[in-house]
Amino acid sequence: MTSPSLPAFSPTSDRLDALDVLRGFALIGICVANVEFFNRPVVESGQGIPAGLYGLDWLVAALVAYLVSGKFWTIFSLLFGMGFALMLERARVAGRPFVPTYGRRVGVLLLIGLLHHTLLWSGDILISYAVGALALMLALLAPVRVLVTAFIACAVLSQIPGLDFLGWPLAPVILASLVALYLRARQAWLFSLVMIGVGVPILLAALIAAWGGNSDDTLTLATVGATLTGLGLLACWRGPDERKPLRIGAQIVLLTYCLIAMESGVRYFATDVGQLTSASSTSAHGEQVDADAGRLLRYREQVARSAEERAVLTDGSYVDAVTMRFSHLDERLRDEVGFAILLVGVFLIGVWFVRAGVIARAAEHKRLFRCLAVVGIPLGVGLGLLGSLIATGRPSGVDDQGYDFAYALLSLGSLPAALGYVGTVMLMLHSRGALARIRLLAPFGRMALSNYLMQSLVFALLFYAHGMGLWGIGRTAQVGIALGLCGLQIGLSHWWMARFWYGPVEWVWRALTYLTWPTMRR
């Protein structure tokens, strides 16, 4: 039950209201970001501002793209990590087993996510959180023998016909194993030597792959090599043990985005890696042709998927929509691998926030919050604006014309901007005057899961063909509806939480987690 890699701490209260306020703040941003993809195919997520917008609609789309998108799910992920740390500590204090309880909690969340994805909206993020939470549990709590067994089982079983789907958990299991080794390493110098000794040759292999023009192999090898080398270098840094989750979490996030930016930047600035090397190697040209063919295939698949979504959601029935989303579920689960790795990094940063007492003793950390706000927001938003000088949206066709690099810069700014927003909200909470009224978001955040699902239900009924069919209204109207809905939900949340202890979905979630019927009415 007790994590061997994290020191114990004592929460100052049973419930940290600041987390509810942050959750409510994040939910507003998520609602504003999500409404676009009830009016646009979800598969086009991450493709920037669509062509053809002008005037106020373009301005609103730009504000959402550079101030909202990517920032608020990151805040929610930080909060998810904080919630994990709080539940772990409360279980320790109460002397009850943590893993079975939290395992049920994650399992129920996964079930809710699968139902949300299939019945309402394929942009669901609950599945991602459930997968990421399982990887986090493995990293922080699983014995080494369990990690080794899980890795071998996934590797062997995935080779059996009909069980190939078991191959997709391999990457999270490997990541969890590396994180566990770093957090629990007693002989830091030995761990550092092994990680660097393995990581540097892999990085050299990545350079050879880049010289050969195979960008896919380059990114894969560079990711693995840089992760191992980074872990080795981190182990050389003799900092406090309680900061280990912060260090490795930040490394995972920054390495992921930096490597994506590196790969897309090479393609943008060098135009074509294969062109640089084909003069010295005929095989390099063939490999580059294969890479181009792969990009063309992915582009055609995305265009077909986008057309399918648009046709079904604007002209099809509800049964057609459910059938389409269910058919995409297998692909969705496979796509969770890369995202789960990123989420584990953000979760670990959230774990550190709670373990260090930054949230529980916020008044003692105002200087940190000011630093996060003053540095994080300009840095995070500035990276996105820097990318906008290259491109604001992905053009049609295989050639991204630099948009992938621009989007990588925007994504790289998500974490610092999110931390800056967190710092700003915490400063508002501990201020005097009108700014402190942001605590009105607490009931809204306390029933965040119910409100999140309600948003999807309302948007589906408004915009899809099996509802009112308002698909494709202007961006200004979309954001206006999203903000109006959040305002109504804030009022409803105050009314509900004055009468009940939990939101309706939270009550079911808690009942299935603890296998008891919690008291509902106050």
Side-chain angles (χ1 to χ4, degrees), residues 256-269:
T256 300
Y257 285 135
C258 285
L259 289 169
I260 293 173
M262 179 186 71
E263 188 272 338
S264 56
V266 166
R267 283 193 286 110
Y268 174 59
F269 290 107

Side-chain angles (χ1 to χ4, degrees), residues 428-508:
M428 293 172 67
L429 268 175
H430 291 83
S431 66
R432 297 177 180 177
L435 294 179
R437 296 175 70 86
I438 195 172
R439 67 181 63 252
L440 290 171
L441 295 177
F444 180 53
R446 198 162 293 152
M447 48 186 296
L449 181 56
S450 296
N451 284 320
Y452 172 70
L453 296 175
M454 184 192 299
Q455 289 169 2
S456 293
L457 176 61
V458 171
F459 288 158
L461 293 175
L462 281 176
F463 300 117
Y464 290 163
H466 48 266
M468 296 179 63
L470 298 179
W471 173 288
I473 65 174
R475 290 291 286 127
T476 305
Q478 293 174 24
V479 173
I481 290 173
L483 292 175
L485 176 59
C486 287
L488 289 173
Q489 286 185 313
I490 290 171
L492 178 61
S493 298
H494 276 267
W495 180 88
W496 182 276
M497 295 307 300
R499 290 159 177 79
F500 304 98
W501 287 108
Y502 310 102
V505 182
E506 284 79 4
W507 183 82
V508 174

Side-chain angles (χ1 to χ4, degrees), residues 327-388:
S327 68
H328 296 159
L329 190 55
D330 179 64
E331 181 183 351
R332 167 65 193 274
L333 290 174
R334 293 177 185 274
D335 289 342
E336 290 304 321
V337 173
F339 193 45
I341 292 173
L342 185 64
L343 281 177
V344 168
V346 184
F347 289 169
L348 285 168
I349 298 174
V351 168
W352 173 82
F353 262 89
V354 169
R355 290 281 167 177
V358 173
I359 299 296
R361 301 189 300 275
E364 302 174 14
H365 295 86
K366 286 186 178 181
R367 182 177 179 182
L368 171 63
F369 294 134
R370 290 192 191 98
C371 181
L372 290 176
V374 172
V375 177
I377 295 177
L379 175 61
V381 175
L383 283 170
L385 294 176
L386 180 63
S388 71

Side-chain angles (χ1 to χ4, degrees), residues 17 24 88 104 113 138-139 152 156 180 195-196 277-278 314 359 433 436 482:
D17 288 338
L88 178 61
R104 287 192 298 271
L138 287 174
I152 295 175
V156 173
M195 291 296 102
I196 294 176
T277 60
S278 59
T314 57
I359 299 296

